[in-house]
Amino acid sequence: MTMVLVSQWELSCCGMTLNSVPLRRVPHKIQKAGAGLGSRTHHRQRRSWVWNQFFVLEEYTGDDPLYVGKLHSDVDKGEGKVKYVLSGEGASSIFTIDENTGDIHAIKRLDREEQAYYTLRAQAVDHDTSRPVEPESEFVIKVQDINDNEPKFLDGPYNARVPEMSPVGTSVVQVVATDADDPTYGNSARVIYSILEGQPYFSVDPKTGVVRTALPNMDREARDQYLLVIQAKDMVGQMGGLSGTTSVTVTLSDVNDNPPRFSRKSYQFSVPESLPVASVVARIKALDSDVGPNAEMEYRIIDGDGLGMFRVLVDKDTQEGLITLQKALDFETKAGYSLRIEASNKNIDPRFLSQGSFSDTASVRLIVENVDEAPVFSSPVSKMVVSEAAKVGTVIGTVSANDPDATNSPIRYSIDRNTDLERFFNIEATTGVISTAKPLDREVNAIHNITILAIESLDPTQVGKGSAIITVMDINDNAPVFAIEYETILCENAIPGQVIETISAVDKDEPPSGHRFVFSLTAEAAGNMNFTLRDNKDNTASILTKRGGFQRRKQSMYRLPVLIRDSGSPVLSSTNTLSIRVCECDSNGDRQSCGTEAFMLSAGLSTGALIAILACILTLLGITGAADCDDADRDVRENIVRYDDEGGGEEDTEAFDMVALRNLNVVRDNKARRDVTPEVTALYTPRPPPYKAATNNGIFREFIWDRLKEADVDPSAPPYDSLQTYAFEGSGSVAESLSSLESLSTDSEHNYDYLSDWGPRFRKLADLYGQSDSSNIFAS
């Protein structure tokens, strides 16, 4: 038999009994075996229920467990066969149930602010078999709020600013208090605001918490800060409600409501007359009670007799007026000045213009103090001109200085010798007349800048300084010369009329209209048959050949004297020698070889050249041998080995070994001597050799050239000055005398210019033997 039962659970709370409300029916089958409900099996439909809420007050502080409610099933007939089971949030730990009666108790104090409700499940089961006799149902125990939390200002304390002089009701700040109690239950969370401190200056809206100004014309300069205490009270402010407070610091911000004011109407300052221009002579300040940009000042001179002498600026840090000097003061000219200065605000607030002008004026008196001043030159810089031809004692100019003080002390002049170290000038002590003390040379120093000292006779510590710039005027005292040292090359294959060099000149003088040079050959060279000169009329000249067929074997060097004249007054001229070297050139005119080194092997050597070359070779050999034998640390520089035994001719072998000279009697062939190039006494006519050599010295020539080549390619050969003299002059010597003394005879007509072509090792020999008299070169 199927039977439907309505399960009825009693819900008790706060002494009230609540019945559950069935929402839906769910089929449920209960089996009989072991259920303790009879031996027969019953088939019935059961209904599940959704229960209303249980309520329990928070913060219960009693000693006994707090009764929450009661669960009861209509199956329970009071026979003890039904047991009640509780599960879910807080079951057993917070909430307990009497399994026999279904009474629910809270065993802990509850706090709604921590947890507002608990969800639990209840079930009725057979006491013996623990089988459900009712389906499980879920219900909620809600913690009922009490007013146990005061309002709190979470954002406090507050700081706010409001402009001074704000109208009544100007909003300052809004304060907000929060209450943790339940806002949906009673008035526990309904807050009302009030002001405890800060009246009558400010007020607060009781509902919104907006703080506003309550008095007009609050002056920051009188009081700039206020401390308010705001209270928030729950229970709509009723008696017994909880409250909280916060502080609000209100600062009045500045507005430009105060004009600047001078503390005095007149000021007086003393100013020394020696104060430099642009100096600050005085400071004045107008006071303003405002701050920041509202206190920024502007100053200006509006009247007085010092408008051109002074100006006033603003010190941005202190807002002071700085009176500065615009022109130099002179006590003797004017002893005092008066100024009227206005100070005004830079930033004006139009709202307060009705209160009056935002500016103020004051009078300033500046007293000039007399100072003992140094002498002052009538002109700080005196410019003077003097000719470099001026004689010693020539007056150049005069300087003048005076004492600016009323005492008008006499002045004595002198020259600061640190600016005239060579003492080119003098100055007359009492008159200031400057004159020359030494001859001047414009080419050495064209401008002299000297310092003149003016000293007071009554007080020598007072010294004034001036400058004299003396310009030295040029005169034509320097002759023109070659612009550079020319190295002119003449190819053997040159043709007549060919330009072999273009020359120019320089002159240390500087004529106002510029240089104009005239070039020509000297009188002695004008008629030569080899070269001519063409003036290009542009301060250059060209050297041309008159003929062709030049041969360096006949003459390797020509010297051409060139006369250069300037256009000065008086005209100055100089003779400059142009050296022309004959070279072998290719078809393009490029130099290949110059001088006589290419044909020395086919020419005889003179005795003087032979001695010079032999001395050099033996010097190199002697130094090399000495360096090998001596101690490594010994430095051989000038080593003179002399063989000057004048013994008995060929038989005398004590002085030196004659083996190297015994073959000199063997004459290989009778050829002309080739050691001396033909001496040319004119540019156009070669002269034949003055004499013929009697013997051929080819052995010496080969020996010398071999040693010369070895020395030239040996990088370790020391260029020391060493002289070895072989001067055997015994009777019967087939080598005759080897002494170089004979080569120094004034009658010698040998030309040794070719030594300069042999390289740096023979430079000294070239200097000794290679100097030819230019007069012989151009002699006809």
Side-chain angles (χ1 to χ4, degrees), residues 7-11 18-20 49 51 71-72 84 124 134:
S7 174
Q8 192 172 24
W9 299 68
E10 292 182 359
L11 306 178
L18 302 176
N19 294 326
S20 62
W49 306 89
W51 306 92
L71 299 179
H72 184 72
Y84 298 95
E134 291 282 1

Side-chain angles (χ1 to χ4, degrees), residues 378-399:
S378 57
S379 176
V381 179
S382 300
K383 296 183 178 181
M384 304 176 184
V385 177
V386 62
S387 172
E388 65 176 325
K391 297 180 180 180
V392 174
T394 299
V395 174
I396 303 173
T398 303
V399 294

Side-chain angles (χ1 to χ4, degrees), residues 219-343:
D219 191 357
R220 184 200 67 84
E221 287 72 37
R223 181 178 178 183
D224 63 348
Q225 197 170 81
Y226 298 83
L227 180 63
L228 283 65
V229 177
I230 307 296
Q231 175 184 266
K233 191 174 183 180
D234 60 14
M235 299 300 291
V236 201
Q238 296 177 2
M239 185 73 67
L242 302 179
S243 65
T245 61
T246 188
S247 64
V248 179
T249 302
V250 180
T251 301
L252 298 183
S253 58
D254 185 58
V255 297
N256 192 10
D257 59 336
N258 293 280
R261 290 290 180 263
F262 284 107
S263 60
R264 292 185 293 172
K265 288 300 181 181
S266 63
Y267 299 85
Q268 181 169 309
F269 302 94
S270 296
V271 184
E273 64 173 334
S274 59
L275 203 64
V277 172
S279 299
V280 176
V281 300
R283 290 174 176 261
I284 59 175
K285 184 176 182 180
L287 302 179
D288 193 326
S289 300
D290 298 321
V291 294
N294 296 321
E296 291 182 358
M297 299 288 181
E298 288 181 338
Y299 296 88
R300 65 190 184 100
I301 300 174
I302 60 176
D303 196 8
D305 58 0
L307 289 174
M309 293 293 296
F310 304 93
R311 64 178 299 190
V312 61
L313 305 174
V314 178
D315 186 328
K316 294 182 179 181
D317 295 328
T318 64
Q319 296 302 313
E320 292 178 303
L322 308 180
I323 303 175
T324 59
L325 184 64
Q326 292 296 101
K327 297 180 181 179
L329 297 172
D330 187 5
F331 172 81
E332 288 72 26
T333 302
K334 190 173 179 61
Y337 297 88
S338 296
L339 303 173
R340 187 165 183 79
I341 297 178
E342 178 188 67

Side-chain angles (χ1 to χ4, degrees), residues 550-729:
F550 292 95
Q551 298 181 12
R552 59 196 175 100
R553 295 176 181 271
K554 295 182 180 179
Q555 184 167 348
S556 62
M557 181 72 71
Y558 294 88
R559 302 189 186 279
L560 184 65
V562 177
L563 180 66
I564 308 175
R565 297 189 299 272
D566 61 19
S567 57
S569 178
V571 175
L572 296 181
S573 64
S574 67
T575 300
N576 302 261
T577 301
L578 181 67
S579 297
I580 304 173
R581 178 174 298 178
V582 182
C583 298
E584 180 182 357
C585 304
D586 57 16
S587 58
N588 295 325
D590 296 329
R591 177 178 61 179
Q592 291 184 335
S593 59
C594 299
T596 58
E597 61 272 17
F599 57 88
M600 279 299 297
L601 294 178
S602 61
L605 294 174
S606 67
T607 302
L610 177 62
I611 294 302
I613 297 172
L614 182 60
C616 291
I617 298 302
L618 294 180
T619 298
L620 296 176
L621 295 178
I623 292 175
T624 303
D628 293 337
C629 298
D630 289 348
D631 182 41
D633 295 333
R634 183 178 177 184
D635 190 6
V636 181
R637 285 293 183 269
E638 297 182 4
N639 184 19
I640 301 177
V641 182
R642 296 180 56 85
Y643 296 89
D644 54 356
D645 188 352
E646 299 182 0
E650 293 280 9
E651 291 76 21
D652 188 354
T653 60
E654 294 180 2
F656 61 93
D657 190 0
M658 293 290 295
V659 176
L661 304 178
R662 286 180 179 174
N663 293 329
L664 292 178
N665 290 330
V666 180
V667 179
R668 298 183 178 181
D669 53 8
N670 293 326
K671 296 181 180 180
R673 291 180 60 183
R674 293 174 294 177
D675 61 333
V676 178
T677 57
E679 182 95 15
V680 180
T681 57
L683 289 173
Y684 50 90
T685 305
R687 177 181 290 182
Y691 59 91
K692 294 183 178 180
T695 60
N696 184 354
N697 14 29
I699 297 177
F700 282 100
R701 183 171 62 252
E702 293 175 0
F703 172 80
I704 291 172
W705 278 109
D706 289 340
R707 295 299 179 268
L708 179 61
K709 292 177 180 179
E710 291 176 3
D712 286 342
V713 300
D714 184 6
S716 63
Y720 302 147
D721 294 335
S722 179
L723 178 63
Q724 298 181 5
T725 304
Y726 296 86
F728 176 75
E729 295 181 347

Side-chain angles (χ1 to χ4, degrees), residues 146-198:
I146 65 172
N147 190 18
D148 61 340
N149 290 278
E150 74 277 4
K152 295 182 179 180
F153 294 91
L154 301 181
D155 297 329
Y158 296 86
N159 289 280
R161 297 178 67 87
V162 64
E164 63 174 333
M165 300 295 177
S166 295
V168 174
T170 301
S171 176
V172 179
V173 68
Q174 183 179 20
V175 296
V176 177
T178 58
D179 195 316
D181 294 324
D182 189 358
T184 64
Y185 180 77
N187 295 324
S188 298
R190 295 181 65 184
V191 177
I192 294 296
Y193 300 96
S194 62
I195 184 166
L196 300 182
E197 293 183 18

Side-chain angles (χ1 to χ4, degrees), residues 377-615:
F377 282 88
S378 57
S379 176
V381 179
S382 300
K383 296 183 178 181
M384 304 176 184
V385 177
V386 62
S387 172
E388 65 176 325
K391 297 180 180 180
V392 174
T394 299
V395 174
I396 303 173
T398 303
V399 294
S400 175
N402 67 291
D403 182 7
D405 299 316
T407 56
N408 195 18
S409 172
I411 304 298
R412 295 186 62 83
Y413 301 94
S414 64
I415 296 176
D416 183 354
R417 291 304 177 183
N418 290 324
T419 61
D420 184 27
L421 295 175
E422 298 185 25
R423 297 179 176 268
F424 283 109
F425 306 97
N426 286 330
I427 187 169
E428 212 287 320
T430 57
T431 62
V433 174
I434 300 176
S435 59
T436 59
K438 283 184 177 181
L440 304 176
D441 189 351
R442 188 203 64 86
E443 286 70 41
V444 176
N445 193 352
I447 296 177
H448 298 265
N449 188 349
I450 62 175
T451 298
I452 308 300
L453 305 179
I455 306 171
E456 288 187 14
S457 299
L458 301 179
D459 185 4
T461 61
Q462 297 296 326
V463 180
K465 291 186 178 181
S467 296
I469 299 177
I470 302 173
T471 302
V472 182
M473 301 301 295
D474 185 39
I475 63 171
N476 193 28
D477 58 343
N478 291 276
V481 296
F482 277 159
I484 60 174
E485 184 177 350
Y486 293 97
E487 295 183 1
T488 304
I489 301 302
L490 172 64
C491 293
E492 291 181 314
N493 56 2
I495 60 175
Q498 179 177 337
V499 176
I500 61 173
E501 186 67 86
T502 298
I503 59 176
S504 61
V506 293
D507 194 327
K508 294 182 179 180
D509 297 319
E510 292 184 1
S513 59
H515 289 292
R516 176 66 182 93
F517 301 121
V518 178
F519 299 87
S520 63
L521 295 179
T522 60
E524 61 181 354
N528 77 86
M529 301 303 296
N530 297 313
F531 306 102
T532 185
L533 181 145
R534 181 181 66 205
D535 194 331
N536 297 323
K537 307 299 182 181
D538 59 355
N539 289 343
T540 65
S542 299
I543 306 299
L544 300 87
T545 57
K546 278 188 175 182
R547 64 177 180 87
F550 292 95
Q551 298 181 12
R552 59 196 175 100
R553 295 176 181 271
K554 295 182 180 179
Q555 184 167 348
S556 62
M557 181 72 71
Y558 294 88
R559 302 189 186 279
L560 184 65
V562 177
L563 180 66
I564 308 175
R565 297 189 299 272
D566 61 19
S567 57
S569 178
V571 175
L572 296 181
S573 64
S574 67
T575 300
N576 302 261
T577 301
L578 181 67
S579 297
I580 304 173
R581 178 174 298 178
V582 182
C583 298
E584 180 182 357
C585 304
D586 57 16
S587 58
N588 295 325
D590 296 329
R591 177 178 61 179
Q592 291 184 335
S593 59
C594 299
T596 58
E597 61 272 17
F599 57 88
M600 279 299 297
L601 294 178
S602 61
L605 294 174
S606 67
T607 302
L610 177 62
I611 294 302
I613 297 172
L614 182 60

